[in-house]
Amino acid sequence: TVTNVSEILKELGLTLKYVQMKLEDIPKTAQVYRCNTMTAIRPVVEIQGHLFSRDENFEAQMQQEYQKRVNAFSLHCRDSITTFHV
């Protein structure tokens, strides 16, 4: 999932950057996302009382691009299925 997110961001002219910071050091204007295979890309709006902004257009664009990749991969897997007879 992170590889897909990184590629999508790169196509949008953005860069994925890993940082370690304390919760209180994250800017209030930051957009925070949770990315994993089960939930794809989901906004985090609050952590322990710290609220984060959302850009619903950006979220929709990211989710749409991610879904395109998932669908393309699913088609590839379906077309690549090989059966074995024993």
Side-chain angles (χ1 to χ4, degrees), residues 4-20:
N4 285 323
V5 169
S6 180
E7 290 172 359
I8 293 166
L9 289 172
K10 188 174 183 180
E11 290 171 9
L12 296 173
L14 303 169
T15 304
L16 177 65
K17 182 177 173 184
Y18 295 94
V19 297
Q20 287 186 348

Side-chain angles (χ1 to χ4, degrees), residues 3-58:
T3 300
N4 285 323
V5 169
S6 180
E7 290 172 359
I8 293 166
L9 289 172
K10 188 174 183 180
E11 290 171 9
L12 296 173
L14 303 169
T15 304
L16 177 65
K17 182 177 173 184
Y18 295 94
V19 297
Q20 287 186 348
M21 55 184 12
K22 295 178 182 178
L23 181 58
E24 59 269 12
D25 293 336
I26 299 174
K28 297 286 186 199
T29 58
Q31 295 176 31
V32 179
Y33 297 91
R34 179 182 68 199
C35 306
N36 65 45
T37 304
M38 295 301 291
T39 62
I41 303 165
R42 296 287 178 246
V44 175
V45 295
E46 185 262 336
I47 301 173
Q48 297 178 350
H50 293 266
L51 300 176
F52 299 102
S53 62
R54 290 183 65 183
D55 181 339
E56 293 181 12
N57 291 328
F58 177 74

